[in-house]
Amino acid sequence: MEIRAARPDELAVVEGLLVEASEWLASRGIDQWQFPPHRDRIEHALSHGECFLLVEAHQALGTITVDEHADPEFWRDTDHPHDALYVHRMAMSRTAAGRDLGGVMLDWAAKRAAQQGKKWLRLDAWKDNAGLHRYYRDHGFDFVRKVDLGHRRSGALFQRAT
């Protein structure tokens, strides 16, 4: 098993993992990610080496984007946004369910942040997905605050020391 940078020609692989996650969430009555993946953001992450795949036996089982983009609607200057790396669009294939490979990717991202001299690994989560919030807490993240913006469903902010 390895985590490696996704190549620009793997756009369909990344989108496929995100769509699969979206369909699974919908099947559980969770409205998170019920829109087509933001192709422009994925292409940007691919071209900048910020989108990664967890691969086992030549099969992509997960994707995660890790970058320095602190969403200015969520992270304040007082949060010292440059002290962190940020997780976006993390998704796992259902074929990998039950193996906590998401935890593997989060640990990998935290190590990456530490290697870059960052104090924090941060993310924002869907505000009303309590199960996801519990998942992040179980993986060492602390709840920072909830940001309620009418035009955003995400806004539960979490961080983990590196």
Side-chain angles (χ1 to χ4, degrees):
M1 182 180 333
E2 70 171 326
I3 298 175
R4 63 164 177 80
R7 299 182 311 266
D9 66 340
E10 292 177 307
L11 173 64
V13 173
V14 174
E15 284 182 324
L17 288 164
L18 294 169
V19 167
E20 181 184 354
S22 170
E23 290 170 352
W24 177 74
L25 288 165
S27 76
R28 298 183 63 223
I30 299 170
D31 67 352
Q32 182 174 340
W33 286 4
Q34 298 308 304
F35 48 80
H38 295 283
R39 179 172 278 183
D40 59 328
R41 294 178 190 170
I42 298 167
E43 288 174 331
H44 179 271
L46 287 167
S47 68
H48 286 84
E50 299 165 342
C51 180
F52 301 89
L53 292 172
L54 183 145
V55 179
E56 182 177 61
H58 306 290
Q59 180 182 5
L61 298 179
T63 184
I64 187 171
T65 296
V66 182
D67 62 27
E68 293 184 328
H69 176 68
D71 189 319
E73 289 191 315
F74 293 151
W75 299 100
R76 306 170 182 152
D77 287 341
T78 55
D79 294 320
H80 305 282
H82 298 293
D83 288 346
L85 285 186
Y86 297 83
V87 170
H88 312 279
R89 294 177 295 283
M90 186 176 89
M92 296 302 305
S93 171
R94 297 310 306 150
T95 63
R99 296 176 55 192
D100 196 24
L101 296 181
V104 170
M105 288 195 302
L106 291 170
D107 289 346
W108 173 86
K111 287 178 189 169
R112 184 176 180 83
Q115 289 168 346
Q116 293 183 25
K118 305 294 184 179
K119 294 179 184 178
W120 304 104
L121 181 64
R122 292 179 172 157
L123 56 88
D124 62 271
W126 217 245
K127 289 181 278 193
D128 60 1
N129 188 337
L132 185 59
H133 299 179
R134 189 170 37 259
Y135 177 83
Y136 288 128
R137 279 192 210 93
D138 289 349
H139 286 83
F141 284 83
D142 294 316
F143 177 74
V144 176
R145 68 180 164 275
K146 187 190 302 185
V147 177
D148 283 312
L149 301 171
H151 63 285
R152 303 281 300 266
R153 298 295 307 271
S154 194
L157 308 184
F158 291 85
Q159 67 184 12
R160 170 178 159 180
T162 61

